[in-house]
Amino acid sequence: MPEVVLLKSMDRHVDRNSVKQRVETALRYFPELQDETIYIGILRENDYVDGKVNSLNRILLFRPSKVPTYVTVFHELMHLAIAKVNENGEKLPKTEEFCSISAMARMPPEFVDEKSIPYVGRPVSVSLIDVPELCKMALQYRKRRRDYIRWLRRRIKGGD
């Protein structure tokens, strides 16, 4: 199991223990990070995203005023996983869309706690519980064709 270390800045977080617990829970789904030490800190006041990552230093940053969703935690951990895989010679895309789709594909359906796939869109024609399976299908589709993001967007919006 990877070590999760709270940085000093987390003293200013509204619920540092819940953040740590969510990261530790999500890390079970990231085998490529099992030998890593993952650091958690807070974003600056003027950052208006829910999460960011410093891949080089293995630091996850979250808003100090709220506990991140599992969708956000998985997304940020996926950035670290992609960086780790790429360090080992493989070439995975670093785009936000690929990161979100890959992260959602790893999530157990019961962990989906947002109403949209970050950077991809909001499901209209499918249940949130079906999103992880659709993301897995999109990654399989990507092996044959490069328009996997459009393919996924059409399915969640009710086309094809």
Side-chain angles (χ1 to χ4, degrees), residues 60-129:
L60 304 176
L61 300 166
F62 300 109
R63 297 185 103 179
S65 58
K66 70 183 223 181
V67 175
T69 63
Y70 274 111
V71 169
T72 297
V73 170
F74 270 74
H75 179 91
E76 300 309 330
L77 285 171
M78 195 68 225
H79 279 298
L80 293 181
I82 289 169
K84 179 78 172 188
V85 167
N86 286 346
E87 285 171 9
N88 294 330
E90 201 171 323
K91 290 294 178 203
L92 293 177
K94 296 178 187 175
T95 66
E96 293 293 347
E97 294 90 350
F98 178 79
C99 185
S100 283
I101 294 167
S102 297
M104 297 290 284
R106 290 182 184 217
M107 290 183 75
E110 63 272 14
F111 283 24
V112 178
D113 55 357
E114 285 189 30
K115 293 185 172 151
S116 70
I117 304 168
Y119 305 99
V120 175
R122 185 181 191 127
V124 173
S125 66
V126 298
S127 164
L128 287 176
I129 202 113

Side-chain angles (χ1 to χ4, degrees), residues 20-158:
K20 185 177 183 189
Q21 179 272 320
R22 283 181 181 237
V23 171
E24 289 172 339
T25 298
L27 276 166
R28 291 186 222 147
Y29 301 92
F30 291 87
E32 58 275 271
L33 300 176
Q34 293 309 302
D35 295 329
E36 298 291 327
T37 298
I38 308 295
Y39 300 93
I40 306 172
I42 62 169
L43 290 164
R44 294 184 188 138
E45 296 278 331
N46 60 349
D47 279 319
Y48 294 104
V49 294
D50 288 335
K52 261 187 188 174
V53 67
N54 175 325
S55 297
L56 186 61
N57 295 305
R58 308 291 194 246
I59 302 173
L60 304 176
L61 300 166
F62 300 109
R63 297 185 103 179
S65 58
K66 70 183 223 181
V67 175
T69 63
Y70 274 111
V71 169
T72 297
V73 170
F74 270 74
H75 179 91
E76 300 309 330
L77 285 171
M78 195 68 225
H79 279 298
L80 293 181
I82 289 169
K84 179 78 172 188
V85 167
N86 286 346
E87 285 171 9
N88 294 330
E90 201 171 323
K91 290 294 178 203
L92 293 177
K94 296 178 187 175
T95 66
E96 293 293 347
E97 294 90 350
F98 178 79
C99 185
S100 283
I101 294 167
S102 297
M104 297 290 284
R106 290 182 184 217
M107 290 183 75
E110 63 272 14
F111 283 24
V112 178
D113 55 357
E114 285 189 30
K115 293 185 172 151
S116 70
I117 304 168
Y119 305 99
V120 175
R122 185 181 191 127
V124 173
S125 66
V126 298
S127 164
L128 287 176
I129 202 113
D130 296 326
V131 167
E133 191 59 36
L134 274 173
C135 288
K136 287 177 192 169
M137 291 168 63
L139 293 176
Q140 288 300 314
Y141 182 86
R142 180 182 173 272
K143 292 177 181 176
R144 298 185 314 274
R145 306 232 355 228
R146 293 295 175 203
D147 65 336
Y148 67 102
I149 298 168
R150 187 176 70 201
W151 180 91
L152 179 59
R153 284 181 175 142
R154 278 197 319 261
R155 268 138 195 91
I156 67 172
K157 298 288 186 188

